[in-house]
Amino acid sequence: MTNVLVCVKRAPDPTGEVVLTDDGLRVDGRYAGYTTSAHEESAVALAVQLTEGSDGTVTVLSVGSEDSIEQIRAGIAVGATDGILVEADADLLGPADVADAIAQAVRARAEAGTTYDLVLLGNDAADTGDFQVGVRLAYLLDRPVAAGIQQVEVSDGRATLRGEGPDGTEVFEVDLPAVVTVLEGGVAPKYPSVMGRMRAKKAPVETVAWTGSAAGSGRQVLTVPEAPPSQVTVIGEGAAAAPALVSVLRELGVVSR
Amino acid sequence: MSVLVLIEVEGGSASLVSREALTFARDLGAGDLHAVVVGTPAPGVVADCAEAGVVAIHTAQDPALERGYAAAAWAAVVEAAGRAARADLVVAPGTGRGNEVLAHVAARRNLRMAANVVSVESLSPLVVQRQVVGGAALERATVDSRVRLMTMAGHAVEPVAAPSPGAATVTPLAITVDPKDLRAQVVRTEARETGDATGLTAARVVVGGGRGAGGPEGFGGVEALANRLGGAVGVSRVVTSLGWRPHHEQVGQTGSRIAPDLYIACGISGAIQHWAGCASSKTIIAVNTDPDAPMVTKANYAVIGDMHEVLPAVLDELA
Ligand SMILES: Cc1cc2nc3c(=O)[nH]c(=O)nc-3n(C[C@H](O)[C@H](O)[C@H](O)COP(=O)(O)OP(=O)(O)OC[C@H]3O[C@@H](n4cnc5c(N)ncnc54)[C@H](O)[C@@H]3O)c2cc1C
């Protein structure tokens, strides 16, 4: 049996135009909406894949405001078992604080009798991009950690992890319990079924408060850099532009004359 | 005081991003420039470091390190090098490895780390500008710890030789790797499956297709042009998440970063996360129905039109 904890963050949807709040301190999600980071969606999918057909469980945890329950339930809708919300003002937290909040929840669950063989996180969050929470968490829990993983298999208390390295697919074998940060690409994200959505509405989500004191992120202000003025040469329109395009290709030396 | 730079090695030389990090670190003017290399540095690496102005290259050669990459063990090496160099600033390339290794150092030493820095506004206190939201926004942040750690966003600076070369003396570190730091170590590296990302990142020409392709069957023109130009196919994330094409073809923040001589982006809007992966292309040609698409306004050349009409006409013209 494998119990997996997946940590997800409620982040402003970064695919559209980025609008900042007036104080420049955060991305204004009121326009773009909120989502779970792509890497974390993959982490949820991996966790569900790992436990399918077994009596293992998948718990989705989020550190943040009450609104983060939406991201927790989105995870449950695609197959997770239950959720934990660690309530905290995410804007005040830095990566060390988030790691501490997750570690606290993992220890509390252990005391209550549930240990997690694997804790999965996203490699980096879509908004803050700190690249540290998973690694810091592993040190707090004294567990091995691998980052940028795309595939996970578990057998006999060990996990085989695969991720892309500079020279090919790198394979790690780690003893459980372990911490893994996931990069999208190794597994297709799951889409919720109607049944899944129904289940997610009713599934238990435990709310706990983080009792640590925030070290913060060091953030002073955000800016959206202005796009440089366009320098584009429009070659033409539609099929009629083909000869002109080909002469550009010739000039660039990518086709022989 | 000095600055220490973690060097990643690629084909016997310091990788491009490592050379960028060296230039960046040197130009901060925060003291002597030191480098750390895990394993014996090849002559090419020593030469690259000397050219960048490095005075000393710290190395660790524990046989355990040679068995495979282990981020915690690399972090132990960086720590030892930091002590040897008396560095109060450590810089690594903003790659998967660079970010992971410095995150370990940060966690072990309870230090702050800023990822994907593009510029430094002040040295004491250290105030940086770094990329967030996949490069769509910049964050000004203070990095207030005893030793300051940062990784460099790719292509924030060009590698430039130092006015006078450094000595780049190779100085071995006396370090024995703690078995605990090898709990997560690469046990083997598997050759990528056929049609892997290496073809894409090495290609001189990349022809890209996005949602505008309309479906998996809409890539005929993209493939044919890529073949005709001896290049590779690249796609946007929409295309891989819809399952139209495999993930190893994805260009962007969460795909491959490409730097070909020519990128022809067809039916791709040019969202910032895609742009992050193709911005280093020498020349970009956009084919798009929308003259206001960011890909068009950022490109060097554009054809406004339907890729399903433009590409066949171009192929005919080339036939
Ligand atoms: C954390 C995160 C990471 C991401 N990483 C990546 C990444 O690595 N790579 C990536 O690409 N994206 C990434 N994205 C997604 C990115 O934000 C965009 O959603 C995506 O790049 C859009 O793909 P697209 O341009 O193909 O589609 P769209 O944005 O839908 O654009 C389609 C374009 O095609 C044009 N078009 C339509 N029909 C035609 C036609 N027949 N002929 C010509 N033009 C036509 C349209 O005018 C439009 O400009 C990421 C997003 C997040 C949140």
Side-chain angles (χ1 to χ4, degrees):
Chain A
M1 180 174 105
T2 308
N3 291 332
V4 187
L5 180 72
V6 188
C7 306
V8 303
K9 179 180 186 183
R10 178 180 174 82
D13 189 338
T15 49
E17 196 193 342
V18 173
V19 179
L20 304 178
T21 53
D22 289 339
D23 59 7
L25 282 176
R26 59 192 71 89
V27 177
D28 198 336
R30 281 178 306 174
Y31 301 96
Y34 290 88
T35 182
T36 305
S37 299
H39 302 316
E40 293 153 27
E41 278 181 352
S42 297
V44 172
L46 274 178
V48 171
Q49 194 181 63
L50 271 174
T51 52
E52 241 157 15
S54 78
D55 52 359
T57 59
V58 177
T59 302
V60 182
L61 174 148
S62 188
V63 179
S65 70
E66 204 184 312
D67 295 335
S68 306
I69 287 196
E70 193 187 326
Q71 277 59 50
I72 294 174
R73 296 213 187 271
I76 298 173
V78 294
T81 324
D82 67 332
I84 305 175
L85 170 68
V86 184
E87 254 191 305
D89 184 349
D91 288 329
L92 301 178
L93 309 185
D97 304 320
V98 177
D100 185 69
I102 299 169
Q104 189 186 307
V106 170
R107 290 193 196 107
R109 279 273 160 124
E111 273 165 30
T114 307
T115 53
Y116 293 104
D117 307 290
L118 268 173
V119 181
L120 304 185
L121 304 93
N123 191 60
D124 55 289
D127 52 354
T128 49
D130 285 313
F131 293 87
Q132 297 160 47
V133 174
V135 173
R136 288 185 186 271
L137 173 67
Y139 280 87
L140 292 173
L141 298 176
D142 191 18
R143 294 181 180 188
V145 56
I149 295 302
Q150 296 181 307
Q151 280 166 15
V152 181
E153 285 159 45
V154 168
S155 76
D156 300 331
R158 278 173 80 72
T160 304
L161 313 170
R162 284 187 165 75
E164 290 305 307
D167 305 315
T169 304
E170 296 183 333
V171 185
F172 298 81
E173 277 166 15
V174 297
D175 287 331
L176 299 180
V179 176
V180 171
T181 80
V182 175
L183 200 65
E184 73 165 342
V187 60
K190 292 185 156 276
Y191 296 99
S193 61
V194 176
M195 287 282 284
R197 284 212 190 89
M198 303 270 285
R199 203 164 44 80
K201 273 192 198 150
K202 290 186 226 134
V205 176
E206 183 190 355
T207 300
V208 296
W210 179 51
T211 56
S213 64
S217 66
R219 169 180 291 187
Q220 293 181 1
V221 75
L222 294 178
T223 47
V224 175
E226 240 174 76
S230 177
Q231 308 260 336
V232 68
T233 304
V234 176
I235 304 172
E237 288 189 21
L245 178 54
V246 170
S247 46
V248 170
L249 298 181
R250 294 219 156 93
E251 266 168 48
L252 294 171
V254 294
V255 273
S256 45
R257 278 160 206 278
Chain B
M1 285 307 161
S2 66
V3 189
L4 177 71
V5 179
L6 172 64
I7 304 296
E8 289 185 65
V9 177
E10 211 173 81
S13 308
S15 70
L16 172 63
V17 269
S18 301
R19 287 183 288 121
E20 291 171 354
L22 281 170
T23 300
F24 180 86
R26 181 192 70 224
D27 291 349
L28 291 175
D32 285 342
L33 186 61
H34 290 246
V36 51
V37 176
V38 179
T40 313
V45 175
V46 177
D48 287 340
C49 288
E51 188 185 280
V54 168
V55 294
I57 303 174
H58 304 272
T59 66
Q61 280 121 337
D62 190 304
L65 292 165
E66 269 150 47
R67 285 202 293 273
Y69 168 68
W74 278 47
V77 173
V78 171
E79 284 176 348
R83 280 193 297 274
R86 305 176 61 81
D88 68 347
L89 187 59
V90 180
V91 181
T95 55
R97 284 227 196 312
N99 279 316
E100 184 182 16
V101 171
L102 283 210
H104 275 263
V105 177
R108 296 155 82 94
R109 295 267 160 246
N110 194 22
L111 301 171
R112 279 201 199 273
M113 159 190 159
N116 287 325
V117 170
V118 293
S119 64
V120 166
E121 290 193 355
S122 94
L123 266 177
S124 56
L126 181 64
V127 178
V128 300
Q129 290 277 1
R130 65 181 204 94
Q131 289 179 346
V132 293
V133 201
L138 291 177
E139 175 189 83
R140 190 208 284 147
T142 347
V143 189
D144 56 347
S145 51
R146 291 172 285 120
V147 177
R148 288 86 49 88
L149 307 175
M150 62 179 163
T151 68
M152 287 288 313
H155 314 312
V157 294
E158 288 241 333
V160 176
S164 53
T169 318
V170 178
T171 52
L173 296 161
I175 139 163
T176 324
V177 175
D178 184 343
K180 200 173 170 183
D181 290 337
L182 299 168
R183 290 188 294 179
Q185 181 170 31
V186 172
V187 292
R188 63 179 180 276
T189 302
E190 295 169 350
R192 291 191 178 92
E193 285 165 24
T194 47
D196 59 33
T198 37
L200 176 60
T201 50
R204 276 191 60 222
V205 178
V206 175
V207 184
R211 199 202 296 269
E217 65 296 332
F219 285 83
V222 171
E223 277 181 341
L225 186 59
N227 280 339
R228 176 64 182 77
L229 301 178
V233 172
V235 302
S236 71
R237 172 147 172 262
V238 169
V239 168
T240 54
S241 33
L242 290 171
W244 296 352
R245 304 285 300 191
H247 184 268
H248 64 72
E249 288 181 357
Q250 183 174 316
V251 170
Q253 188 202 338
T254 50
S256 297
R257 303 209 168 199
I258 58 169
D261 289 341
L262 174 64
Y263 181 42
I264 307 179
C266 309
I268 298 179
S269 60
I272 190 80
Q273 295 89 358
H274 186 82
W275 187 252
C278 69
S280 305
S281 310
K282 241 187 231 149
T283 302
I284 296 181
I285 303 179
V287 178
N288 201 303
T289 44
D290 175 6
D292 297 323
M295 200 65 184
V296 172
T297 57
K298 289 180 182 172
N300 304 90
Y301 300 95
V303 173
I304 309 305
D306 188 333
M307 59 185 279
H308 299 298
E309 291 166 12
V310 177
L311 291 180
V314 169
L315 287 159
D316 272 356
E317 189 71 23
L318 285 170

